[in-house]
Each structure stands twice: as structure tokens, then as C-alpha cells.
Amino acid sequence: MIRFDRSGMRAGFGRDLVLDLLERGFVAIDPKRTVSEALARDGDGLRVGGSDFDLSGRRVWTIALGKAAVPMAEAASELIGLASVGGIAVTRYGHGGSGSGFRVLEAGHPIPDENGVRAAEAIADFADGIGRDDLVLCLLSGGGSALLAAPPEGVSLEDLAETTRLLLRSGATIDEVNTVRRHLSTLQGGRLARRLHPATVVSLVLSDVIGDALESVASGPTVPDPTGFDDAIGVLRRWRLWERLPTGVHDHLTRGAEDRLDDTPKPGDPVFRESVVEVIGNNATFLDAVERSAREQGLGVLRVPEPLVGEARDVGRELGRRAADVADGRMDRTLLVAGGETTVTVRGGGRGGRNQELALAAALMLDDVEGVCVAALATDGSDGVTEAAGGIVDGATIGLARWAGIEPGEALADNDSHPVLAASRDLLFTGPTRTNVADVCVALIAQT
């Protein structure tokens, strides 16, 4: 079970309760649990959702990709048993381990690296050895887009890495980023399904994308891609990156838009005829568990219906303002619950992540407000390029930072949230969670 490291965290209103509730959310999205609940084995039969498969005399292979790849593959191997003849799991550095009955490879995230190239080559070779009568379990989770580095001819690894850097600093959404990535890959955007065809492919998806756009989870290696090269170019133009791209990427996308290259397979393509896809967990799964646990403990719950999207600092200010307003008018304890994935347009030279930036912006709105505690969490345990998973703030955060000689407003302008939250002892730490369902924000509110 995922636990927060509370040893270095200061005491404050509602903090232990908030962290207890978030830990219940992690239980609900445990990869082994979600896979075990999605698969049912009965003799030679395997049931996945509403689909049944006869495994008698049939080989079953596993391909797992993403931050949850190893525990998902472990659960599948345990359930499939002797019918499982092998597999491969690709995950982020520090998220692996030794797999039983499958090979584990680790690679770079969020910037693709040489090990990501090797992992892509290994999966391509693995896929080429799968027969037409075989069944392939594809276990997909967030992070897979960067981990599977398979640039097309004419695009180098450094071209792919630099394009990724530009996109991640631009403020583009994850859907936009992955629209570009799908068109710079020989395996994503349904191309792995094309390679596996005509084998039966069953994809179990632990979604880190709000709305569960399947083409965006791990950039959709086994599902149809509804976008084209023009869409990828549109994203790059929208964020004023088109003229800043490496030449290899610019030329590849241009040729694709001119119909000089094969595009990704689209909905209705025959390669998906023997495919089944099931979403086995997502952001709502986590939020539902938090809400349920809060109500069991007698808290009122306000669920924010719309996903948290847009600039992290803007979302944080609004969340902090909303929490302060609720505190003014309520006598009972209330938990505000929200999920999503914000963005950060990097303008400064500081250190942090979107959840830490959101938390700092909320803290600025809560300065000296009593009876409010706000937490912003990256469910994969890694926020930005830091080891923190996010931040938990209250009315004392800003004063503590200033006492330490830091001006929080200036730090926010410089995208430098991490030192502020470190000074106020408001950082969240979980270590690698080996799961990922995007981000979660909660605010505990009570009059004091």
C-alpha cells in the first residue's frame, strides 16, 4: 500500500486526515488489484469484461508498458498461469524489479533516451514472434509515451527528445503532446496493433488521461488513432513550436501531411477486428475512493464536476479562493475533491512541478486563513523533475516561506515552487507509486 512519508512534514490543520484519505485512493488504483478484478479465469476460459476467450491449446503473451507495467504484468501472469508463455514489461527507472515469467526493461521519462530505443526494439522483435492464433495481453498505463522511443526513419532520438522538451515546456495538454508523439513513432498510434495482427489483442488500460481518450494513454499503441499528421502540425503551430523543431521532425511531419507517408491506423481498420479494450481504472476511480472514505468519516463532500485543466497557477488560485469562500459559510467539515491534469508554461528558471505550482498558488490565496488545508498530488509520485509528489498547504505556508527569506509570489513567477514548499515543510513524498491516474486535488475545510 502506498504511504506518504510524514517524517519531515510539519503538523497543521487536517493534514493527517487528508493524507489518510489520499492513501485510500491509492488502494483503489493499485495495479495488481485492478488487473485481478478485470480478468476472470475459469478452466480453459478467460473472461475480460463482456468478452470470453478459450485458452485451450493457445499461447498467451504479455506486453506491459508504463509506470504500472510491472505490477500489472505480475497480476496477469499469476492469473493466466501456465497458459502464459512469456512477456515483456517496459517501465520508468526505479519502477521495475525482477519479473516472474517476463522480462523487465527500464527507460527514461519524460524525455526519451537510448534505453527507450532499446525497449522499443525489444517489443518490436517480441511482437514479430507472436503467431496468428496467439492471444496478447497489452497492459497500458501512463508514462508509456516516453518509454517507448521508436522514432521513424529520418528522425533521430535527439530530434525526438528535443521535440518532447519543447512540448513539455510550452503549456500543451497531454492530449496535444501525445498527438505529436503518435506521429513520431513506429509503434504508437495503433502501429503495435498493426504489427501484432492477426493475433487477438486484449488491452487493459489504467488511464492517466482525463476522459479516457484511449489514443492518449501511452500514446495508444493498440487502439485506433483518430488524428492525423495535420493535427500534429496544428498542435505545434498553436504553441508556436513549428519553426523551432529539429529539421528531421519538421520534414517527417510535412511529408506525412502531404500524404507521402503511411498514417496511423484509424477507427474501422481491420487490424483492430480481433481487439478488445477495457479501462480498468482512472482518475475517477481514485476520487470515488477518496469521496467514499470521507463520507464514512462523517465529512461533507463537494465534488468538482469539471476536470482541473489549464495553467496550474490559475487553477491553484481559483481552488484556494473557492476553499476560502466555502470556509466562510460552513460550520461542518467539508472535503472539496477534484481531479485533472494542469499544465505549466515554463517562463522562469526555477524548480518544481505542476502540482507544487498549483499548491503554491493556492497558498497565496489562503495566507492567514484558518481551518483550510489544500493538497495537490501527482498519483505517480513524481511531480515535474523533482522527487516530490506535490504539496500540501494551509494558511501558515506563506508566512513560513517569508520567515525563511523567500518571497512566494516572486518564486511562483519564476516557476520555483519547490524551494518554497521545502522551506515551509509542505512537500508530499511517496516515492515511485508504480501507478498513474493523473493528478488529484483535495481541500479540507472547517471553521475553527
Side-chain angles (χ1 to χ4, degrees):
M1 178 176 174
I2 303 301
R3 299 284 190 186
F4 288 96
D5 180 357
R6 308 188 193 197
S7 59
M9 192 180 302
R10 66 180 171 87
F13 164 77
R15 289 172 171 243
D16 282 334
L17 176 56
V18 165
L19 298 186
D20 288 346
L21 293 172
L22 291 173
E23 287 173 353
R24 297 308 302 168
F26 277 117
V27 172
I29 61 162
D30 175 77
K32 282 193 171 183
R33 173 177 176 166
T34 56
V35 169
S36 297
E37 290 176 349
L39 299 177
R41 185 74 192 271
D42 182 13
D44 288 332
L46 177 68
R47 187 169 184 81
V48 184
S51 302
D52 293 299
F53 302 92
D54 184 2
L55 302 186
S56 57
R58 197 176 200 181
R59 300 187 304 173
V60 180
W61 305 90
T62 301
I63 297 175
L65 180 62
K67 296 172 186 174
V70 173
M72 290 179 80
E74 288 173 342
S77 295
E78 291 169 6
L79 191 140
I80 299 301
L82 295 177
S84 178
V85 292
I88 186 167
V90 180
T91 193
R92 183 179 182 176
Y93 296 125
H95 288 59
S98 57
S100 176
F102 58 93
R103 181 184 178 191
V104 177
L105 300 174
E106 295 186 345
H109 180 281
I111 306 301
D113 65 5
E114 289 284 355
N115 281 335
V117 173
R118 296 186 186 98
E121 292 171 346
I123 283 186
D125 290 344
F126 185 81
D128 289 344
I130 291 171
R132 63 181 301 115
D133 295 323
D134 294 346
L135 185 145
V136 185
L137 280 177
C138 286
L139 311 174
L140 305 177
S141 57
S145 298
L147 296 168
L148 204 59
E153 184 178 354
V155 177
S156 68
L157 173 62
E158 184 49 44
D159 290 342
L160 185 61
E162 178 58 20
T163 302
T164 303
R165 291 187 194 99
L166 289 170
L167 284 163
L168 294 180
R169 293 173 63 87
S170 71
T173 67
I174 190 61
D175 285 330
E176 291 175 318
V177 172
N178 287 350
T179 293
V180 177
R181 282 168 158 165
R182 287 194 296 276
H183 293 88
L184 296 174
S185 174
T186 60
L187 290 175
Q188 290 158 328
R191 292 183 187 272
L192 178 59
R194 179 182 283 168
R195 196 154 195 150
L196 292 168
H197 183 71
T200 299
V201 179
V202 177
S203 298
L204 301 184
V205 180
L206 187 59
S207 172
D208 67 329
V209 175
I210 304 303
D212 300 334
L214 296 176
E215 70 274 10
S216 281
V217 182
S219 289
T222 59
V223 300
D225 179 17
T227 67
F229 284 101
D230 284 339
D231 296 295
I233 292 172
V235 169
L236 294 161
R237 290 191 183 280
R238 188 175 309 125
W239 294 102
R240 300 181 180 179
L241 301 177
W242 181 241
E243 303 301 332
R244 299 171 59 191
L245 292 173
T247 301
V249 171
H250 193 285
D251 290 350
H252 176 79
L253 294 177
T254 298
R255 290 198 304 274
E258 294 172 347
D259 294 328
R260 293 159 57 194
L261 298 173
D262 287 337
D263 204 347
T264 51
K266 307 303 177 194
D269 193 297
V271 301
F272 303 112
R273 191 172 295 147
E274 301 299 323
S275 291
V276 173
V277 183
E278 292 283 336
V279 176
I280 61 174
N282 56 19
N283 191 259
T285 308
F286 192 112
L287 298 182
D288 289 345
V290 170
E291 178 177 349
R292 186 165 53 250
S293 296
R295 293 191 186 280
E296 289 171 355
Q297 298 193 45
L299 276 68
V301 177
L302 292 176
R303 182 81 166 255
V304 178
E306 63 276 4
L308 300 182
V309 295
E311 282 288 329
R313 63 183 64 185
D314 296 336
V315 173
R317 289 188 187 106
E318 178 56 31
L319 189 64
R321 185 182 299 113
R322 183 170 183 176
D325 289 345
V326 172
D328 280 342
R330 282 187 174 262
M331 298 296 294
D332 54 336
R333 294 189 305 167
T334 300
L335 191 74
L336 189 69
V337 180
E341 185 166 302
T342 61
T343 56
V344 173
T345 302
V346 179
R347 300 181 177 91
R351 186 165 178 254
R354 59 181 179 262
N355 288 282
Q356 292 165 73
E357 186 149 318
L358 188 156
L360 176 55
L364 285 164
M365 306 305 299
L366 296 171
D367 191 18
D368 285 333
V369 174
E370 296 184 349
V372 179
C373 170
V374 175
L377 170 71
T379 58
D380 64 356
S382 179
D383 188 38
V385 293
T386 74
E387 294 183 357
I392 183 167
V393 300
D394 54 30
T397 297
I398 299 305
L400 288 168
R402 287 176 176 147
W403 185 80
I406 300 173
E407 176 46 55
E410 293 177 3
L412 183 61
D414 195 35
N415 302 117
D416 203 23
S417 54
H418 187 83
V420 180
L421 300 182
S424 60
R425 294 168 60 199
D426 288 340
L427 290 170
L428 294 175
F429 292 98
T430 61
T433 64
R434 302 211 299 177
T435 190
N436 186 17
V437 293
D439 301 334
V440 172
C441 293
V442 299
L444 180 63
I445 305 158
Q447 288 189 343
T448 57

